[in-house]
């Protein structure tokens, strides 16, 4: 399990998404994959998650295909 702190970009404060066990080692509720987290960040910043960028001479996708932004209320 891991955590992140986000501010700005339309993020509503005071939210927690999911839960871990008592030691923080195992996800117990609502796991979020790294690609889904990146799709969320791209969406908040207005970056096209399907866009490709150059890394040297090769194109690299901003986010893996099939990633879905996290829906929070």
């Amino acid at each position: 399990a891991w955590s992140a702190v986000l501010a700005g970009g339309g993020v509503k404060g005071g939210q927690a998404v999911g839960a871990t066990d008592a030691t923080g080692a195992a996800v117990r509720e609502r796991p979020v994959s790294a690609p889904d987290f990146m799709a969320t960040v791209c969406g908040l910043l207005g970056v096209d998650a399907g866009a490709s960028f150059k890394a040297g001479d090769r194109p690299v996708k901003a986010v893996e295909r099939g990633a879905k932004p996290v829906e929070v209320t």
Side-chain angles (χ1 to χ4, degrees):
W2 47 276
S3 61
V5 176
L6 302 175
V11 174
K12 183 180 169 188
Q15 295 186 74
V17 176
T20 62
D21 64 4
T23 64
V27 177
R28 295 289 182 217
E29 294 177 17
R30 202 171 174 192
V32 175
S33 69
D36 289 351
F37 176 75
M38 289 305 298
T40 304
V41 171
C42 284
L44 291 170
L45 296 176
V47 174
D48 178 8
S52 292
F53 301 92
K54 287 280 194 173
D57 290 331
R58 65 183 195 126
V60 176
K61 290 276 189 193
V63 178
E64 290 179 30
R65 187 177 315 218
K68 296 187 182 341
V70 175
E71 295 289 329
V72 293
T73 57

